[in-house]
Amino acid sequence: RYTVDLFFSIKLLRKFIKAPVIIAVDPLNFFYAFLLKKIGGVEKVIFYTMDYGHKRFNNPLLNKVYHFFDRFAASRCDESWSACRKIADIRKKQGVPESKNIYIPNSPILHDIAVKPLDEIDRFSLVCLFSNYLQVDFKIMFDAMAILYGKFPEIKLKLIGRGDFKREIEHLVHNKDILNNIEFLDIYSHTEALREISKCAIGLECNTQTLTWNEFREPIKIREYIAFGLPVISKPGHALVEDIERDGIGFIVTDTGEFVKAVEAFFCDFTYYVRVREKVIELGILYDKKRILDTVLLKNVGNNILLERK
């Protein structure tokens, strides 16, 4: 299958595209693009690493093949982009020069959805966005909600996923009194999901964090929360844990008790919540993906291409 992919990739690109730059988004794609560069079809190849793991595959041989192609790409690319700061650190250790080692955070493009002023957000709302409900620890959220409901009866938990996940997880809610305070939202539109996030007060990352590459994963949902000014409550096990703690934009929790205390810290002290939210908004501006991409694309492909994009 990979041989067929290679053949058709080169055939199609040679026929339809004379591109100054190809952005290849995994080691095998880079290998294809590198061969195309060698036969004169492209001037520059950027290696964009979206995910990485020391143990990327369970099969030891396949894992060695993956890392061979990964190192091949890192050593021969014209520029290395990394979707995680820890991946950029790996590239530095592999000898990628600082001028070519670019960190591109997984921030969203906002689709003209503005950060809401304080009086337009639901002050006592929590939101959790996910694509696969099987990877989410709903128990920690539901158990915390059962406790928090007694102190904050207006509390709301918005669960944004895909499909009829409510039927699969509703049995995990042991205190049925809180069901009216939980919204199960089946939203397929990314823009609509971002619009819902922008109305909420706190963003939750409660994935089970069992995948081997989570060490090098910066959850997109956290970047989306940050883009709209939401302080974060997260379980550990991913690559943004240190950022959340260092920048003071939320809490890392491991159990229901810590989860409850984190929510109480934000709900009981409005001044503290506002102060943290202001920090988050500043970070959202700093990690504006459109600005970052325009800067790196301008360096690589020039003004004409940027004008065509706009």
Side-chain angles (χ1 to χ4, degrees), residues 78-98:
D78 294 287
E79 198 163 273
S80 171
W81 293 3
S82 300
C84 172
R85 206 185 304 275
K86 287 189 174 182
I87 298 175
D89 291 341
I90 293 287
R91 300 300 178 222
K92 182 178 180 181
K93 293 177 182 177
Q94 292 173 335
V96 177
E98 186 176 346

Side-chain angles (χ1 to χ4, degrees), residues 21-32:
V21 178
I22 285 182
I23 302 171
V25 190
D26 66 44
L28 204 56
N29 282 335
F30 176 87
F31 181 68
Y32 298 162

